[in-house]
Amino acid sequence: MSTSNPTFGAPLLPYFPFQSDYLNINHGSFGGYPIKVRDALREYQRQTDAKPDDFIRYRLPGLIDKSRAAVAELINADVGNVVLIPNATTGVNTVLRNLVYNPGDKIVYLGTTYGACEKAVMHIVDTCIPAGAVEAIKVEVEYPVTSKEILRRFEDAISQKGVRIALFDTVSSLPALRLPYENMISLCKKYHVLSLIDGAHAVGAIELDMQRLDPDFFISNLHKWLYTPRSCAVFHVAARSQHLIKTSLPTSHGYRPEERPGRLRVSNPLPTSSKTGFVELFGYVGTMDYTPYLCIPEAIKFRKEVCGGEQKLLQYITTLAKQGGNLVANILGTELLGDEDQRRSPMVMVRLPLKFTADELQQGKQHLLLEEIERTISEKYRTFVPLIYHGGHAYGRLSGQVYLTLEDFEKAGQILAKACKEFEQKSKL
């Protein structure tokens, strides 16, 4: 295969370890990685098992630094601002739980924020003392809505007195639409509000430049779109904001306790390091499998040598999502959610021809019914499509990827059409 003119779609499918009869059109949830990357993972695991102390104590730190440097170059970041963590949820929690809140502080987040991250905000609100000392401000976002209107609502929220930090996505999960995050970062700077970017669907899915964006905190899963094994994410903290991150989660060897009169000095079993305190915090956070972190260079190498580089890869998966989404919408007789700008990502939301009764909607049963349809699709049709009820309609999320083709989207559309028809017939019984 020519690296200068790569062929996407079916020719790339054998590079991935998917079961032959399985259609992986939901790359956005748990990702997927090439066999070559899996081989690298297994080799690092073999080396760990062969000489555990030697590998973990002496080789692991240098290999992690190599991976940090690789992802920093990819997103145009200073390597001193980059560390590795298991997933985006861990990163969001790390930031929110490191901040020291004062009575009257407010946390702003969007209505489309990932559920686990919204609950992290709620936990901060619920546990701050005294009760009610910290407030959460939820910016309602229900599509169809323009990015201009989202920015207006966001600015109204963060311009309020006491707003400490704002949490928002690059591309939200469900519904999967691109937010005007560049302008939102700028607004945070205007109002002196910390910006916390949940970029779970960012690295490997859209172009990024940390030097240009310059958020306070940015987290992105790498196991979703960059082809690293699970679990692996990048945590980028601007140098100006690193003093706010006192500890990793869980707190581990890198933590430096404050010196206070009468406090005994805490021993540190880690060897002396020239790294910054921020980088040391996340170098070793307890015994776990760090080998997915070490596969970042191999994943980037695959994207360059087999897929022809980031620009060609991103163009293919984004165009495929756009064209494939239109194809599925035609099959279903429906339409896509969001405008052209909001759909600039490798995921697409297609409305389903489903109707729920007034009683079902009143009792909130539509969510359970959609979960039943999801499971039916998984068990009967050998694929999975995340379904969501949003703005009065049901939608399915489909992902474009290098191993997929328009024919795969057509197949997914036919599966969704059958599943919706089966639901209608069943509801009439």
Side-chain angles (χ1 to χ4, degrees):
M1 180 180 299
S2 171
T3 57
S4 60
N5 185 25
T7 302
F8 294 103
L12 280 189
L13 187 57
Y15 285 87
F16 291 81
F18 304 122
Q19 194 166 309
S20 59
D21 62 345
Y22 188 79
L23 175 60
N24 196 61
I25 203 158
N26 179 36
H27 194 102
S29 281
F30 303 114
Y33 50 97
I35 294 171
K36 286 186 176 181
V37 176
R38 184 187 65 183
D39 291 344
L41 175 73
R42 299 289 185 262
E43 175 58 22
Y44 284 126
Q45 290 172 334
R46 185 196 67 77
Q47 293 178 29
T48 305
D49 294 339
K51 294 192 292 183
D53 277 282
D54 177 74
F55 189 89
I56 294 172
R57 293 177 186 273
Y58 306 124
R59 294 196 59 209
L60 181 63
L63 291 169
I64 288 179
D65 286 345
K66 181 180 178 182
S67 289
R68 289 176 47 240
V71 71
E73 181 181 2
L74 182 69
I75 63 175
N76 191 28
D78 185 330
V79 69
N81 297 342
V82 169
V83 294
L84 302 175
I85 56 176
N87 50 61
T89 305
T90 298
V92 169
N93 275 263
T94 298
V95 175
L96 292 177
R97 298 178 195 284
N98 265 278
L99 296 184
V100 178
Y101 300 94
N102 298 309
D105 281 352
K106 297 179 177 66
I107 303 172
V108 170
Y109 71 100
L110 270 60
T112 53
T113 293
Y114 185 62
C117 296
E118 180 180 22
K119 289 185 176 180
V121 172
M122 292 300 100
H123 185 259
I124 296 295
V125 172
D126 290 344
T127 56
C128 276
I129 300 174
V134 175
E135 178 186 352
I137 300 176
K138 184 175 184 177
V139 179
E140 295 297 341
V141 177
E142 184 174 280
Y143 294 93
V145 61
T146 65
S147 295
K148 183 177 180 180
E149 175 61 17
I150 292 173
L151 284 171
R152 186 193 68 77
R153 297 178 190 177
F154 181 73
E155 185 169 12
D156 284 348
I158 67 169
S159 60
Q160 296 182 39
K161 182 180 179 181
V163 174
R164 182 76 188 286
I165 188 168
L167 166 64
F168 50 93
D169 300 277
T170 50
V171 180
S172 53
S173 177
L174 286 167
L177 292 169
R178 184 167 177 148
L179 289 160
Y181 61 91
E182 300 98 329
N183 291 330
M184 295 167 84
I185 293 171
S186 296
L187 285 172
C188 285
K189 292 178 180 177
K190 175 181 177 180
Y191 291 100
H192 306 289
V193 171
L194 294 170
S195 53
L196 170 53
I197 318 302
D198 179 2
H201 300 281
V203 177
I206 59 176
E207 293 184 0
L208 291 165
D209 186 331
M210 287 296 108
Q211 299 281 0
R212 179 178 61 83
L213 291 173
D214 192 33
D216 289 289
F217 309 104
F218 171 86
I219 305 107
S220 180
N221 288 323
L222 304 182
H223 57 250
K224 283 185 182 290
W225 295 97
L226 194 69
Y227 308 153
T228 70
R230 308 167 202 94
S231 298
C232 181
V234 60
F235 182 27
H236 177 278
V237 180
R240 64 178 178 275
S241 303
Q242 289 179 12
H243 69 283
L244 297 171
I245 305 300
K246 304 292 188 182
T247 179
S248 60
L249 291 184
T251 299
S252 193
H253 297 297
Y255 177 65
R256 297 177 178 178
E258 296 180 8
E259 293 187 7
R260 297 179 181 177
R263 171 176 281 179
L264 296 177
R265 193 172 185 85
V266 180
S267 62
N268 188 349
L270 293 179
T272 302
S273 172
S274 60
K275 297 175 185 176
T276 65
F278 169 68
V279 173
E280 275 194 356
L281 273 180
F282 299 89
Y284 185 83
V285 292
T287 301
M288 67 176 194
D289 187 0
Y290 291 88
T291 56
Y293 295 1
L294 310 185
C295 297
I296 293 172
E298 189 66 32
I300 294 175
K301 179 181 178 183
F302 177 88
R303 296 167 73 88
K304 288 181 179 178
E305 296 185 354
V306 179
C307 301
E310 293 298 311
Q311 186 175 358
K312 291 181 179 179
L313 189 158
L314 296 181
Q315 182 179 3
Y316 180 82
I317 63 177
T318 302
T319 302
L320 178 61
K322 178 181 178 180
Q323 295 178 351
N326 286 324
L327 177 60
V328 174
N330 288 335
I331 292 172
L332 299 178
T334 62
E335 68 284 329
L336 304 181
L337 184 63
D339 59 34
E340 285 286 335
D341 187 62
Q342 292 165 345
R343 296 201 302 265
R344 286 190 299 118
S345 86
M347 294 186 292
V348 63
M349 303 297 300
V350 185
R351 185 172 69 81
L352 305 180
L354 291 175
K355 292 184 179 180
F356 300 99
T357 67
D359 287 342
E360 289 170 340
L361 293 174
Q362 186 175 6
Q363 299 173 36
K365 289 185 176 180
Q366 71 272 25
H367 306 294
L368 293 175
L369 293 171
L370 289 176
E371 288 179 5
E372 289 182 15
I373 298 173
E374 284 179 340
R375 184 158 191 144
T376 297
I377 290 173
S378 178
E379 294 178 347
K380 186 174 181 178
Y381 295 107
R382 308 294 297 161
T383 189
F384 187 88
V385 179
L387 307 181
I388 184 177
Y389 190 79
H390 181 85
H393 299 285
Y395 293 90
R397 187 187 75 187
L398 303 171
S399 300
Q401 198 43 259
V402 296
Y403 50 76
L404 296 172
T405 63
L406 281 175
E407 287 74 19
D408 292 316
F409 274 80
E410 182 178 13
K411 181 179 178 180
Q414 293 169 349
I415 289 172
L416 286 170
K418 291 177 183 177
C420 291
K421 186 175 182 180
E422 291 168 359
F423 170 79
E424 290 180 351
Q425 293 173 342
K426 183 178 178 181
S427 63
K428 292 177 182 179
L429 298 178

